[in-house]
Amino acid sequence: MKVLGIETSCDETGVAVYDTALGGAAGLRAHAVYSQIALHAQYGGVVPELASRDHVRKLLPLIRQTLGEAGLSTRDLDGVAYTAGPGLVGALLVGAGVARALAWALDLPAIGVHHMEGHLLAPLMEDDPPAAPFVALLVSGGHTQLVAVDRIGEYRLLGETLDDAAGEAFDKTAKLMGLPYPGGPQLARLAETGTPGAYTFARPMTDRPGLDFSFSGLKTQVLLAWRDSDQSETTRADIARGFEDAVVDTLAIKCQRALEAAGSDTLVIAGGVGANKRLRARLQAMCEQRGGRACFPRPALCTDNGAMIAFAGALRLEAGQRSDAQVHVTPRWDMATLPAVA
């Protein structure tokens, strides 16, 4: 089954074609992402109306480009998948509207995909994918969650952030130290030059039981440290390293607890922050010490992309699941309400 995937949940337009007959990494026939970073940089964050308009401008050309790179035409497709939520309602409606129109015109089945399920399943596109049951860490700009995956579509929330997501904390911390938008990747690059231990920040909520996260207090600690420092480039890098180490340690401690609680030895890491080099190395080492396994998507598939939507949609379409003909999106959507994939 060849499935066209469309992702427009926020500020990146993603399109891909996944072929289940090939499977694994080979099944990804083509994918492309157009980022709106330059558009939103002058505002210091995503402007929803501008994001929606840019999806309108870029989506159809990107679909034509992706099909061309895959060596396919619309007549070769067997289904269409699109992000139906969570996300910005206007941006979601652009992708859903185009997907439903294509499906209707080509007489193809279509399915609305949960954005975070797309992230969660992205590592399964790689060769030698993990098999359920496993524990997943979903860590991005909008979400930080630990999820027990009993099987595809059957998810139990183990813990989540009570305030800022980890990626959001990266972005906000970078902004308060004067780094350009988007700040998270800038802060991570700066941290590579910082001195370990020059600044030490708390590992939030690790001194108590439970699997929930909180990063707002850590952000405040960085603000106070930056305000009271000499604000030199060396200090900026040292504070960035201290902040990143605190986030990575916190995530690793909670992941170890989650694996123990779930009785699992396999950890899947997905979402934009999953591309962070220090986090990947730390979780890889932690799982190997336990005799287990850490599974990541390739860095290009950590951030929002159409490939994860095409793949997640293909699994559900092959299971006989379909969305109705309405253009319907769900900006707030609990992943636990999803049906299991038989």
Side-chain angles (χ1 to χ4, degrees):
M1 172 176 268
K2 301 178 187 67
V3 177
L4 177 72
I6 295 173
E7 155 62 23
T8 62
S9 66
C10 190
D11 63 334
E12 288 169 319
T13 312
V15 178
V17 176
Y18 191 85
D19 188 343
T20 59
L22 298 175
L28 184 56
R29 297 284 295 268
H31 78 105
V33 176
Y34 173 77
S35 175
Q36 300 177 3
I37 286 175
L39 174 65
H40 300 287
Q42 60 184 309
Y43 304 102
V46 177
V47 181
E49 179 60 27
L50 295 181
S52 302
R53 293 181 185 182
D54 221 38
H55 287 312
V56 171
R57 184 173 68 90
K58 293 299 297 186
L59 185 52
L60 289 178
L62 209 61
I63 290 173
R64 287 192 287 267
Q65 172 189 326
T66 305
L67 287 173
E69 291 174 356
L72 302 171
S73 73
T74 54
R75 294 186 298 275
D76 298 313
L77 296 174
D78 301 302
V80 181
Y82 59 94
T83 303
L88 302 175
V89 62
L92 291 168
L93 283 169
V94 174
V98 170
R100 292 300 335 178
L102 278 172
W104 180 82
L106 300 170
D107 194 24
L108 295 175
I111 184 105
V113 173
H114 192 291
H115 178 78
M116 295 310 296
E117 182 179 50
H119 276 303
L120 187 154
L121 298 179
L124 277 64
M125 275 188 284
E126 307 294 354
D127 294 327
D128 191 23
F134 55 79
V135 171
L137 171 67
L138 302 179
V139 57
S140 66
H143 298 81
T144 300
Q145 297 177 328
L146 282 164
V147 178
V149 179
D150 298 318
R151 58 175 172 152
I152 295 175
E154 195 170 306
Y155 309 122
R156 291 180 289 115
L157 182 65
L158 301 176
E160 62 183 339
T161 184
L162 304 180
D163 41 59
D164 292 348
E168 183 182 5
F170 264 92
D171 288 339
K172 289 180 176 178
T173 299
K175 186 175 182 179
L176 68 85
M177 289 198 298
L179 295 175
Y181 174 87
Q186 302 276 354
L187 187 148
R189 282 192 288 272
L190 184 62
E192 293 178 6
T193 65
T195 302
Y199 283 85
T200 302
F201 301 110
R203 278 51 175 163
M205 295 184 70
T206 58
D207 59 349
R208 66 187 77 176
L211 296 172
D212 288 330
F213 302 90
S214 172
F215 295 105
S216 63
L218 177 58
K219 182 181 61 183
T220 302
Q221 289 181 53
V222 173
L223 172 63
L224 296 174
W226 176 246
R227 186 194 64 186
D228 297 337
S229 74
D230 59 7
Q231 301 193 359
S232 66
E233 286 305 309
T234 299
T235 299
R236 196 196 308 264
D238 290 345
I239 291 176
R241 177 60 185 266
F243 169 81
E244 185 180 63
D245 284 347
V247 173
V248 169
D249 282 354
T250 300
L251 292 172
I253 290 168
K254 295 287 186 171
C255 284
Q256 183 164 344
R257 290 180 185 175
L259 290 169
E260 292 169 354
S264 175
D265 61 1
T266 302
L267 178 67
V268 163
I269 302 94
V273 182
N276 182 279
K277 294 178 182 178
R278 191 160 286 113
L279 179 64
R280 291 170 84 97
R282 175 67 186 278
L283 294 180
Q284 184 76 46
M286 182 199 75
C287 289
E288 288 176 356
Q289 288 172 1
R290 292 172 49 85
R293 182 184 178 199
C295 303
F296 306 86
R298 68 199 81 165
L301 300 186
C302 286
T303 54
D304 293 351
N305 62 86
M308 65 184 193
I309 302 305
F311 178 71
L315 294 180
R316 291 190 173 277
L317 288 170
E318 282 197 322
Q321 297 180 18
R322 305 287 188 271
S323 294
D324 60 36
Q326 291 183 318
V327 179
H328 178 72
V329 298
T330 310
R332 294 182 180 274
W333 191 0
D334 183 357
M335 199 164 63
T337 64
L338 294 173
V341 174

